[in-house]
Amino acid sequence: MDFEFRVDELHRFLEAKRGAMVEAAVSGLHDATDRLLADSRDMAPLDTGTLRMTAGKEVTVKGAQAYGEVFYSATEEGSSGVRFNYALRVHEMGPYKNPTTPGTRPKFLSQPLKTNKRLYTQFINDAVRRAMG
């Protein structure tokens, strides 16, 4: 009994689908970063709303790599007159003693990323699978 697998046909199939798969992966990365942005905004403190308003996301493609980023860019001026990264400070501080909004917490960006990593990866995997047909 013989078994034959035509690797050249597989290569042709993958080459024909390459563009669609890359586009799909980038689309899935957009979906994943959109979801992470929404999840993290729900956990971010809401005292004045500045922190949530400065949140954003960006997906970039450089060569064969696609990168998704969710960011918070709130800055404030300290008592010394020096500006500091308020978003980073609030993210890294210990537990809130009296949160202004229930459900908010420190680590508002890293916590949903850790908790939902599989879901965010699934967005990308599903998009690529759909592109492969």
Side-chain angles (χ1 to χ4, degrees), residues 36-85:
L36 174 57
L37 178 58
D39 292 343
S40 66
R41 269 190 180 142
D42 289 345
M43 289 184 182
L46 185 60
D47 186 21
T48 64
T50 302
L51 187 61
R52 291 184 183 191
M53 287 188 295
T54 64
K57 68 117 185 183
E58 186 174 354
V59 173
T60 56
V61 179
K62 293 180 182 176
Q65 300 288 319
Y67 303 90
E69 176 185 15
V70 173
F71 56 86
Y72 287 79
S73 60
T75 58
E76 285 193 355
E77 190 171 302
S79 58
S80 65
V82 176
R83 296 196 66 74
F84 67 95
N85 187 332

